[in-house]
Amino acid sequence: MVKLYIESVKLKLKSQLEYRLSFILTFISQIGVFFTYYFMTVALFQRFDNIKGFTLYEVLLCFSIIHFGFAFNETFFRGVDKFDKFIIDGSLDRLLVRPRGVLYQVICSEMDFVKVARIIQSLIIFFIAISHLNIEWNIINILLIIAMFLSSIVLFFGIFLLMASYCFITIHGLEVRNLLTDGGKQMAQYPIGIFRKGFIFIFTFIIPYASVNYYPLLYLLGKSHNILHLLSPLLIIIYLIPCFISFKIGLKHYSSTGS
């Protein structure tokens, strides 16, 4: 399966590079859009020294991790994000009669390599942020940072799965998808603790953005020594379970487009 996925990556990249000028211009536009978010954050701190005790570079660390996970999913799991089109054009019917799993085929079918620009930019901002922070570099903190990046990827993959499940009911993804992905991303690029308690509850227990980059950040920066904050990225694995179950239920009750 891994070999087949690698071949799919090669084919998708080759097909997108067929129109190189278009690819390059779109790639550059992604850089411009991403840095707009970055400069807005920096501009905010030209006015204020901190936001509820969080400095610019602490916020940028949150920013880089959440945007990395989103960009990674848009690059390599774009098919899950665009699942509604498989239902609308009848492609899902064909996937169901093939020997490979439906989700695996969906993942292999759509990739968007221009979003690699955002992955690179996220990593650049991450290294800028940690170079200005006084972090104690030990094995625990290194593993914690890796867990934060991985949990960011898993979180957005889970949200994409939930939205794919939602498409079995509504067909079209509608704006709920953007509310949970783009809207949630815009909020989670700041430490969740700066918002009101209602938002903290939602983004901790319903859509666990806080487990990706807020609670681990508190431990990483020495603002907290709570072991639960250290282990909070692992909660994303638990969150992923109902996401898979909802997709399986939707797939089980799918009745075809009749095409």
Side-chain angles (χ1 to χ4, degrees), residues 1-9 100 104 108:
M1 290 180 68
V2 175
K3 183 178 179 181
L4 181 58
Y5 178 75
I6 292 173
E7 289 300 319
S8 298
V9 170
R100 297 289 182 182
Y104 179 77
C108 291

Side-chain angles (χ1 to χ4, degrees), residues 145-209:
I145 286 177
I146 294 171
M148 291 167 74
F149 276 106
L150 292 177
S151 62
S152 181
I153 294 171
V154 173
L155 172 67
F156 282 108
F157 182 73
I159 294 173
F160 283 4
L161 270 182
L162 283 177
M163 293 301 97
S165 307
Y166 177 73
C167 292
F168 284 113
I169 301 172
T170 63
I171 309 300
H172 288 279
L174 305 178
E175 289 303 312
V176 174
R177 177 172 58 200
N178 293 333
L179 176 65
L180 295 179
T181 53
D182 290 293
K185 177 192 66 178
Q186 294 301 320
M187 291 192 66
Q189 69 185 20
Y190 298 96
I192 298 297
I194 70 174
F195 299 107
R196 292 183 180 273
K197 290 183 179 179
F199 286 106
I200 296 174
F201 178 84
I202 291 171
F203 286 105
T204 299
F205 298 105
I206 299 178
I207 308 173
Y209 280 104

